[in-house]
């Protein structure tokens, strides 16, 4: 049995884990759920030896343990599979396992093969990791833990990056691991994971455990209430429909190729009307990012046409599109959203630094820039020090900065790609409020998201993408999670 | 003017090429090993220069060519240790550290050399093996066979051994490797040390076996050519040795042209190996094998982040 008693861990002023008690026995699947920032990942990192707790003890099979490294945790049988796999991409699966385990190569192959057969895994051992799809990489991580005789497996968001079929396979795998007397800890924010395969569920909020129930004594509503707590997340439902008839963005039969291993676009057509939030649903990697790139001008389509406010912008540069009124909140906000090395005020001015109001006669006047930045910050009620280096902003604050900059000149269309991904509840709520404000002011939003609840809450209309095509649309009023799930599952 | 009665021109060029290729191969293998572990060693030229000087000087002082070779390798190892300390442990910018090392070491060799080596110095050289019958096949200095043997070892270690896998993992995703229990800094430093030692040894072979003399301009750009050849060969030891042989052949041809008095400026002829390198680099960018199994260490030049 693995027991954690009164684990506490602080980062600065925030208590990521606050007196957390937990026990897991072999043969059990325990789901730990909670919103982003609830402290799930911190707890996993402590259990697997990546972080040291400030206080509290770990007891493994009756012996108290204090881990100084991951390999120490592995040696007593605890292994974690993180969201970002700890695999070396250029090596084969076998070489990755060998590197961790050592010993005789031939014996290792036999042991691995035995486990593969017993659990019905499909992962090939002789191919380099970078050629393997995500589910296989995940299987390989689990395999590596099993080869090292780990009894306690911590899976951090194992289904987050997977489609529904692969997610089912992971749940089945967790089931058969439990049958063979392993303990599986499933960290997740998907209720479907919990309800379909866990035996027990622990709910975390703000670093504390707020619920701990056997699965048959609880239900989805009770779990999500415990997860979210009191913070209300703004939704579109009580806003009046604001859609006009004018077409703001008209994408006509656009095709383009995708980048390494992900879908491009095949014959995609869509229209966004004024004052409308059009949601794009789908598992990421199914063409959403190329769609955003083609619309914002980061990528040229191979065929088809893009009309923005009746201008043909198919081959216009991103800057030219922005001058027409197109704004962009990119998926990778640290890489494409802001220049990390610039101070906050520099990033706030990036869209308009060329204008003579900001740079008279081509000279940079930091006083003018700072004034402009201060005004912009007020629009999102933020109060950062102007000279603060942007890379040190938290995800939520960075997203607010980008939103303030992008919505500055009341753009006609905002392309928002995964705008709340990785943000904590408060930041999610603020981001949504800003998006809805922009819509109320008459702007349109092309909202690309993986979070069905968010799409249902915000969108006026939803289209679903799969394999680079639009596979269906749901009109306002008829949208429900079930209908969307059917669409995305191909049903 | 020419007196090569027993040998035709092609054989002579071939032999000169192999002789020049062996020090080149050693330094190139060292660079491959160190880059595979994720550390670029731009100090190569300087390390070879110092190795050439120390090898020659020690051999002259003590009358033993083998002692000279060992001293060359030893001083290369020391310079490698300096580079490892800067690039691996302190996390200094590898390009700046390497360029600094190169400029400082070549300068030091050119400055100290004339004080140490005079016209009276009489070092022992490494001579060719006498196998008169198969001279074109077997009549090379023993150092050539050393280079070939090390090449084979490098190929087998990098492709099949656990050590090789640890080296590749350190150069590809140091953080993941560290999480798997590889001591990335130790692996990287050892590779830089080996690379430095091979560079120093290569310099000593250059002065004691190939040129059998020492000049203040000694490696004459060989180190830089090697740094260009390593990516071109896809960081593969076997292929890099092949490229070294090709470049050495161009060099031999160039020297031969100068000897027989081809009516071209000597400066133009001197350019030949460098132009060949440029052409090879361009060809490497557009050649189909770029698309195939390409081994570029993705963390090359980037220190371990923790």
């Amino acid at each position: 049995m693995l027991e954690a008693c009164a684990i506490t861990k602080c980062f600065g002023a925030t208590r990521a884990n606050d007196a957390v008690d937990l026990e897991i026995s072999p043969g059990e699947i325990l789901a730990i759920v909670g919103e982003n920032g609830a402290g799930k990942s911190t707890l996993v990192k402590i259990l697997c030896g990546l972080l040291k707790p400030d206080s509290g003890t770990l007891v493994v099979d009756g012996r108290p343990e204090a881990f100084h490294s991951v390999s120490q945790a592995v040696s007593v049988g605890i292994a974690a599979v993180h969201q970002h796999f700890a695999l070396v991409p250029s090596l084969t699966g076998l070489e990755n396992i060998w590197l961790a385990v050592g010993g005789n190569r031939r014996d290792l192959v036999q042991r691995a093969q035995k486990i593969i057969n017993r659990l019905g895994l499909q992962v090939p051992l002789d191919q380099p990791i970078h050629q393997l799809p995500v589910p296989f990489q995940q299987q390989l991580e689990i395999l590596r833990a099993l080869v090292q005789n780990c009894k306690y497996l911590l899976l951090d968001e194992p289904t987050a990056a997977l489609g529904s079929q692969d997610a089912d396979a992971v749940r089945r795998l967790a089931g058969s691991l439990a049958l063979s007397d392993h303990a599986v800890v499933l960290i997740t924010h998907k209720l479907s994971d919990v309800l379909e395969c866990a035996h027990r569920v622990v709910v975390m909020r703000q670093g504390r455990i707020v619920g701990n129930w056997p699965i048959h004594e609880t239900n989805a509503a009770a779990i999500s209430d415990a997860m979210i707590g009191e913070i209300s997340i703004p939704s579109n439902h009580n806003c009046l429909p604001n859609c006009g008839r004018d077409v703001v963005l008209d994408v006509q039969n656009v095709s383009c190729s995708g980048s390494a291993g992900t879908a491009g676009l095949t014959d995609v057509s869509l229209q966004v009307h004024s004052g409308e939030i059009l949601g794009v649903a789908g598992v990421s990697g199914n063409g959403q990012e190329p769609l955003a790139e083609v619309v914002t001008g980061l990528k040229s389509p191979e065929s088809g046409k893009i009309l923005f406010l009746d201008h043909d912008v198919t081959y216009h540069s991103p800057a030219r599109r922005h001058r027409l009124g197109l704004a962009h909140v990119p998926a990778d906000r640290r890489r494409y959203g802001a220049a990390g090395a610039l101070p906050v005020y520099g990033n706030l001015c990036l869209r308009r630094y060329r204008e003579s109001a900001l740079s008279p006669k081509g000279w940079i006047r930091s006083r003018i820039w700072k004034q402009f930045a201060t005004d912009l910050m007020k629009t999102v009620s933020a109060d950062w020090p102007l000279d603060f280096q942007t890379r040190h902003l938290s995800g939520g604050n960075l997203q607010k900065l980008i939103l303030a900059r992008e919505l500055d000149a009341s753009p006609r269309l905002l392309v928002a790609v995964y705008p709340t991904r990785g943000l904590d509840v408060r930041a999610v709520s603020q981001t949504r409020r800003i998006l809805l404000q922009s819509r109320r002011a008459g702007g349109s939003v092309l909202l690309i998201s993986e979070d069905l609840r968010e799409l249902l809450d915000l969108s006026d209309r939803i289209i679903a993408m799969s394999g680079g095509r639009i596979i269906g649309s749901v009109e306002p009023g008829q949208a429900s999670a079930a209908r969307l799930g059917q669409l995305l599952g191909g049903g | 003017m020419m007196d090569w009665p027993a040998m035709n021109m092609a054989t002579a060029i071939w032999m000169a090429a192999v002789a020049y290729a062996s020090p080149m191969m050693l330094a190139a293998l060292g660079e491959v090993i160190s880059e595979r572990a994720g550390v670029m060693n731009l100090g190569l030229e300087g390390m070879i220069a110092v190795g050439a000087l120390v090898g020659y000087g020690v051999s002259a002082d003590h009358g033993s060519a083998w002692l000279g070779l060992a001293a060359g390798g030893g001083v290369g190892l020391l310079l490698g240790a300096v580079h490892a300390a800067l690039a691996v442990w302190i996390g200094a910018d590898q390009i700046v550290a390497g360029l600094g090392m190169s400029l400082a070491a070549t300068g030091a060799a050119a400055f100290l050399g004339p004080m140490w080596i005079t016209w009276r110095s009489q070092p022992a050289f490494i001579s060719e093996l006498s196998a008169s019958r198969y001279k074109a096949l077997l009549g090379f200095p023993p150092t050539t066979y050393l280079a070939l043997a090390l090449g084979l070892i490098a190929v087998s270690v990098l492709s099949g051994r656990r050590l090789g896998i640890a080296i590749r993992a350190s150069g590809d995703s140091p953080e993941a490797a560290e999480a798997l229990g590889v001591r990335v800094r130790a692996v990287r430093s050892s590779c830089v040390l080996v690379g430095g030692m091979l560079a120093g040894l290569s310099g000593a072979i250059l002065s004691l076996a190939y040129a059998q003399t020492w000049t203040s301009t000694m490696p004459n750009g060989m180190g830089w050519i090697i740094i260009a050849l390593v990516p071109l060969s896809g960081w593969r030891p076997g292929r890099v040795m092949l490229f070294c042989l090709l470049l050495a052949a161009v060099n031999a041809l160039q020297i031969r042209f100068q000897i027989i008095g081809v009516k071209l400026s000597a400066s133009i002829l001197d350019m030949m190996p460098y132009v060949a390198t440029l052409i090879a680099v361009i060809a490497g960018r557009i050649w189909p094998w770029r698309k195939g199994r390409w081994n570029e260490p993705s963390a090359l030049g980037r220190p371990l982040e923790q």
Side-chain angles (χ1 to χ4, degrees):
Chain A
M1 191 148 78
L2 170 62
E3 292 164 274
C5 309
I7 299 283
T8 299
K9 176 82 190 172
C10 300
F11 297 105
T14 49
R15 283 178 169 253
N17 278 180
D18 192 358
V20 171
D21 292 310
L22 198 71
E23 51 185 55
I24 309 133
S25 354
E28 184 182 37
I29 304 179
L30 170 70
I32 303 182
V33 296
E35 294 277 323
N36 287 312
K40 300 168 298 190
S41 297
T42 307
L43 182 59
V44 172
K45 283 180 185 161
I46 289 172
L47 291 178
C48 76
L50 263 177
L51 282 178
K52 264 196 246 175
D54 295 339
S55 64
T57 47
L58 290 177
V59 181
V60 185
D61 300 327
R63 265 201 314 273
E65 303 277 357
F67 303 135
H68 298 284
S69 69
V70 176
S71 45
Q72 251 182 331
V74 167
S75 69
V76 299
I78 303 174
V81 176
H82 298 282
Q83 266 171 292
H84 301 284
F85 302 127
L87 295 168
V88 180
S90 59
L91 299 180
T92 67
L94 183 67
E95 285 170 340
N96 265 287
I97 297 179
W98 195 24
L99 204 54
V101 185
N104 182 301
R105 189 170 180 150
R106 209 165 290 149
D107 288 351
L108 189 68
V109 176
Q110 281 180 355
R111 264 157 67 202
Q113 205 58 51
K114 230 186 232 166
I115 297 170
I116 289 181
N117 295 339
R118 199 181 69 213
L119 293 171
L121 304 178
Q122 291 109 37
V123 54
L125 288 178
D126 53 357
Q127 275 181 35
I129 299 298
H130 64 85
Q131 290 177 4
L132 296 180
V134 171
F136 281 179
Q137 297 187 18
Q138 195 173 43
Q139 289 186 10
L140 207 61
E141 288 253 9
I142 295 173
L143 179 62
R144 184 167 66 200
L146 295 176
V147 169
Q148 289 170 290
N149 297 318
C150 285
K151 214 158 76 179
Y152 302 97
L153 294 166
L154 319 172
L155 311 181
D156 192 1
E157 299 283 4
T159 59
L162 302 182
S164 59
Q165 278 182 344
D166 291 323
D168 280 343
V170 172
R171 292 183 202 120
R172 276 199 304 276
L173 178 58
S176 42
L177 284 172
L179 282 179
S180 57
D181 221 28
H182 290 86
V184 181
V185 178
L186 216 59
I187 290 86
T188 181
H189 62 248
K190 286 192 186 171
L191 286 180
S192 52
D193 290 343
V194 180
L195 299 170
E196 279 170 37
C197 81
H199 302 144
R200 195 154 59 88
V201 56
V202 161
V203 184
M204 291 189 75
R205 190 172 76 229
Q206 291 170 344
R208 289 165 169 277
I209 289 185
V210 293
N212 184 348
W213 306 295
I215 202 73
H216 52 83
E217 286 175 20
T218 185
N219 57 40
I223 296 174
S224 61
D225 278 354
M227 262 163 69
I228 294 170
E230 285 96 53
I231 293 183
S232 71
I233 295 204
S235 83
N236 192 348
H237 292 157
N238 28 18
C239 302
L240 291 173
N242 198 15
C243 311
R245 296 193 158 220
D246 337 340
V247 175
V248 175
L249 175 74
D250 192 1
V251 176
Q252 299 175 351
N253 310 95
V254 163
S255 299
C256 73
S257 58
S259 51
T262 59
L265 297 176
T266 318
D267 198 22
V268 166
S269 300
L270 62 87
Q271 290 188 329
V272 183
H273 301 92
S274 64
E276 176 186 50
I277 297 186
L278 175 66
V280 180
V283 177
S284 70
N286 275 293
Q288 295 93 327
E289 299 202 17
L291 174 65
E293 285 170 1
V294 163
V295 170
T296 53
L298 292 173
K299 189 174 191 162
S300 291
E302 275 143 31
S303 63
K305 231 166 138 181
I306 297 164
L307 300 180
F308 179 55
L309 301 170
D310 300 326
H311 298 275
D312 183 348
V313 298
T314 316
Y315 299 107
H316 282 191
S317 69
R320 221 168 142 191
R321 293 180 208 217
H322 176 253
R323 279 198 292 276
L324 287 172
L326 185 86
H328 182 204
V329 174
D332 188 343
R333 52 186 90 98
R334 297 224 177 254
R335 253 174 97 185
Y336 294 104
L342 288 186
V344 164
Y345 77 89
N347 268 302
L348 283 166
C349 297
L350 268 190
R351 275 294 195 194
R352 303 180 57 176
Y353 70 97
R354 265 180 288 208
E355 295 173 12
S356 57
L358 280 168
S359 309
K361 301 201 175 78
W363 292 95
I364 290 176
R365 295 269 184 79
S366 56
R367 197 179 46 79
I368 303 182
W369 281 35
K370 284 180 177 170
Q371 186 52 48
F372 177 80
T374 315
D375 294 343
L376 262 189
M377 285 200 302
K378 277 187 200 136
T379 64
V380 290
S381 42
D383 186 23
W384 307 302
L386 286 171
D387 290 312
F388 197 67
Q389 226 189 16
T390 309
R391 75 169 93 245
H392 299 306
L393 286 181
S394 73
N397 279 328
L398 182 61
Q399 191 70 318
K400 262 163 84 176
L401 181 152
I402 295 169
L403 281 164
R405 184 187 68 206
E406 295 299 312
L407 294 174
D408 159 39
S410 315
R412 298 298 305 276
L413 174 70
L414 172 69
V415 179
V417 192
Y418 308 123
T420 59
R421 184 151 80 180
L423 302 186
D424 62 36
V425 191
R426 187 177 307 279
V428 168
S429 141
Q430 283 168 337
T431 303
R432 287 191 180 186
R433 195 163 293 130
I434 294 170
L435 290 180
L436 288 173
Q437 262 167 20
S438 143
R439 164 179 174 280
R440 211 169 301 136
S444 319
V445 180
L446 181 65
L447 172 66
I448 296 177
S449 176
E450 264 186 309
D451 183 344
L452 292 187
R453 215 174 76 193
E454 171 171 285
L455 287 167
L456 289 169
D457 282 351
L458 297 182
S459 315
D460 296 299
R461 196 157 57 90
I462 298 178
I463 58 174
M465 284 191 82
S466 176
R469 292 169 187 276
I470 292 178
I471 51 168
S473 72
V474 184
E475 292 304 316
Q478 302 165 0
S480 71
R483 174 81 190 100
L484 267 180
Q486 258 176 17
L487 255 182
L488 292 175
Chain B
M1 198 174 140
M2 276 184 61
D3 185 22
W4 302 83
M7 252 186 270
N8 63 29
M9 178 101 160
T11 316
I13 290 176
W14 155 249
M15 291 208 59
V18 174
Y20 186 64
S22 41
M24 225 176 148
M25 285 173 177
L26 280 175
L29 285 172
E31 186 69 19
V32 166
I33 291 169
S34 140
E35 290 198 11
R36 269 301 186 80
V39 184
M40 208 182 300
N41 178 11
L42 293 189
L44 203 61
E45 177 87 0
M47 293 180 177
I48 299 173
V50 172
L53 169 66
V54 171
Y56 194 93
V58 168
S59 169
D61 290 353
H62 300 276
S64 159
W66 294 101
L67 198 64
L69 284 188
V75 75
L77 194 76
L78 276 179
L79 293 178
V82 173
H83 190 60
L86 291 174
V88 181
W89 296 95
I90 302 182
D93 187 302
Q94 295 179 5
I95 293 177
V96 177
L99 284 177
M101 161 78 71
S102 199
L103 294 172
T106 30
F111 173 71
L112 297 173
M115 298 186 205
W116 189 357
I117 288 156
T118 63
W119 59 272
R120 272 194 301 267
S121 306
Q122 283 190 318
F125 294 114
I126 299 216
S127 50
E128 289 140 24
L129 296 179
S130 52
S132 53
R133 227 162 149 202
Y134 306 102
K135 202 162 170 54
L137 275 181
L138 299 171
F140 302 110
T143 46
T144 300
Y145 304 102
L146 179 70
L148 288 175
L150 276 173
L152 284 177
I153 293 173
V155 171
S156 95
V157 164
L158 279 178
S159 59
R161 311 279 147 176
R162 185 149 173 253
L163 174 64
I165 292 175
I167 292 175
R168 280 155 56 194
S170 304
D172 251 321
S173 11
E175 292 79 20
E178 187 84 11
L180 296 183
V182 176
R183 284 158 61 216
V184 172
R185 289 203 177 90
V187 170
R188 285 186 160 185
S189 321
S190 324
C191 289
V192 175
L193 286 177
V194 168
M197 189 198 70
L198 289 179
L201 189 61
S202 144
I205 292 174
L206 206 58
S207 60
L208 290 177
Y210 171 73
Q212 309 217 331
T213 177
W214 180 84
T215 62
S216 61
T217 57
M218 197 78 192
N220 219 352
M222 186 172 98
W224 299 116
I225 292 185
I226 289 169
I227 284 167
L229 289 184
V230 169
L232 184 70
S233 64
W235 288 267
R236 303 172 93 168
R239 206 173 268 165
V240 88
M241 289 171 77
L242 195 70
F243 278 116
C244 285
L245 192 61
L246 274 174
L247 260 291
V250 174
N251 189 53
L253 203 66
Q254 172 261 124
I255 293 173
R256 204 61 34 165
F257 280 171
Q258 295 198 19
I259 292 174
I260 60 176
V262 171
K263 288 220 171 3
L264 260 177
S265 151
S267 306
I268 299 272
L269 290 174
D270 277 340
M271 278 165 54
M272 274 175 64
Y274 308 99
V275 172
T277 308
L278 275 180
I279 293 173
V281 169
I282 295 165
R285 286 307 295 192
I286 49 184
W287 216 251
W289 74 61
R290 258 206 94 86
K291 298 195 185 82
R293 211 179 121 83
W294 195 247
N295 300 312
E296 174 161 17
S298 39
L300 182 60
R302 183 167 68 73
L304 172 69
E305 285 164 18
Q306 272 181 332

